[in-house]
């Protein structure tokens, strides 16, 4: 059996988009991948709007299964996906890197959050299903 491919979703704070991507990828992605998220800085908790909306729309309780993490806690990464940091995105050694260019919905309406969540869902289904 082939070893799973390690995929890391990263952004600066690892509190919103990368956490959403990790949660959805673990639920929707193929078993040939292992999914992680991390950041260069971390908040003390995951964005509470993200937690609420992912629980309401996908039945995933991110507070039970995830926590903010730093880049140095990740295993070696095969695929690195940056969320679209609008500043200097974190980087790691990897075989493939891509940027999803997603705006941070922190502090915005539920509609804006859901637009970002739906795009992450689509990207994961297109890329990892």
């Amino acid at each position: 059996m082939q070893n799973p491919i390690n995929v890391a979703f990263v952004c600066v704070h690892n509190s919103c988009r990368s956490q959403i991507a990790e949660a959805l990828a673990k639920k929707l992605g193929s078993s040939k991948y292992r999914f992680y998220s991390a950041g260069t800085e971390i908040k003390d908790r995951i964005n509470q709007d993200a937690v609420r909306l992912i629980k309401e729309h996908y039945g995933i309780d991110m507070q039970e299964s995830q926590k903010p993490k730093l880049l140095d806690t990740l295993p070696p990464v095969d695929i690195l996906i940056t969320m679209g940091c609008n500043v200097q995105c974190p980087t790691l050694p990897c075989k493939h890197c891509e940027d999803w260019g997603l705006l941070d919905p922190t502090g915005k309406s539920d509609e804006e959050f859901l637009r970002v969540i739906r795009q992450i869902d689509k990207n994961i289904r297109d890329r990892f299903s």
Side-chain angles (χ1 to χ4, degrees):
M1 179 176 163
Q2 183 180 2
N3 289 335
I5 297 167
N6 289 336
V7 179
F9 301 103
V10 300
C11 58
V12 174
H13 294 119
N14 188 226
S15 67
C16 190
R17 293 163 294 166
S18 56
Q19 290 283 352
I20 291 167
E22 178 185 1
L24 292 180
K26 285 178 174 176
K27 181 171 181 154
L28 305 171
S30 162
S31 63
K32 67 183 202 180
Y33 300 98
R34 272 186 273 171
F35 299 101
Y36 304 92
S37 71
T40 53
E41 305 167 19
I42 57 172
K43 301 276 185 175
D44 61 341
R45 63 185 183 160
I46 299 171
N47 179 295
Q48 293 301 289
D49 289 322
V51 169
R52 176 178 53 83
L53 291 167
I54 290 297
K55 191 169 188 177
E56 285 175 12
H57 291 267
Y58 292 88
I60 301 167
D61 187 346
M62 292 194 297
Q63 291 187 129
E64 284 187 6
S65 60
Q66 295 170 218
K67 65 179 181 173
K69 301 165 290 298
L70 291 171
L71 294 177
D72 64 4
T73 66
L74 295 174
V77 172
D78 299 301
I79 299 172
L80 174 68
I81 298 177
T82 55
M83 297 286 103
C85 305
N86 302 327
V87 288
Q88 182 64 35
C89 285
T91 59
L92 291 168
C94 60
K95 294 176 185 170
H96 175 77
C97 182
E98 58 190 75
D99 181 68
W100 284 0
L102 301 167
L103 295 177
D104 186 357
T106 299
K108 298 189 175 149
S109 68
D110 281 4
E111 292 77 25
E112 183 62 22
F113 252 95
L114 289 170
R115 186 191 68 71
V116 171
I117 290 169
R118 284 190 296 269
Q119 186 61 55
I120 292 170
D121 180 315
K122 179 185 183 319
N123 291 356
I124 288 166
R125 289 176 192 270
D126 290 349
R127 181 78 167 81
F128 299 109
S129 293

